[in-house]
Amino acid sequence: MATRPVPRNIDKPNRNAEYAFTFLGTYYTLMFLFHEPLMAFGMACVAVYMIYKFTLDKPEGMAFRFIYRHIQIGKMMPSPKKVKKFEV
């Protein structure tokens, strides 16, 4: 009785959502600001490469944790970096 072989990459983290979010966010932000598609595409590719290098050998969702911790969008909810103590 032979057992079925287990794929080697069964536990490999899937980062497609992080890469897509990074690419689209960078691309459309730069298109909105500068209206230069080639520059926006190039910078989006560089941003995806940086996220790839940053999250190498780390758990899934590391890019989202970094964005939540260090980037503040608007003034409604300050990021944990700006708030000294969490208040409910």
Side-chain angles (χ1 to χ4, degrees), residues 19 46-58:
Y19 298 147
V46 168
V48 168
Y49 178 74
M50 289 173 54
I51 290 293
Y52 169 75
K53 284 296 194 181
F54 176 71
T55 60
L56 199 61
D57 297 329
K58 292 196 170 109

Side-chain angles (χ1 to χ4, degrees), residues 15-70:
R15 302 195 192 285
N16 291 338
E18 293 175 11
Y19 298 147
F21 180 77
T22 302
F23 183 85
L24 293 174
T26 305
Y27 179 79
Y28 284 116
T29 300
L30 291 175
M31 279 296 292
F32 176 73
L33 293 175
F34 300 112
H35 302 289
E36 295 286 337
L38 193 57
M39 181 196 64
F41 183 78
M43 290 304 293
C45 290
V46 168
V48 168
Y49 178 74
M50 289 173 54
I51 290 293
Y52 169 75
K53 284 296 194 181
F54 176 71
T55 60
L56 199 61
D57 297 329
K58 292 196 170 109
E60 289 182 18
M62 196 64 187
F64 294 131
R65 290 183 196 129
F66 177 79
I67 290 170
Y68 173 72
R69 216 176 278 146
H70 296 288

Side-chain angles (χ1 to χ4, degrees), residues 3-16:
T3 60
R4 185 173 72 85
V6 177
R8 289 186 180 271
N9 293 332
I10 194 166
D11 291 330
K12 185 177 178 184
N14 185 0
R15 302 195 192 285
N16 291 338

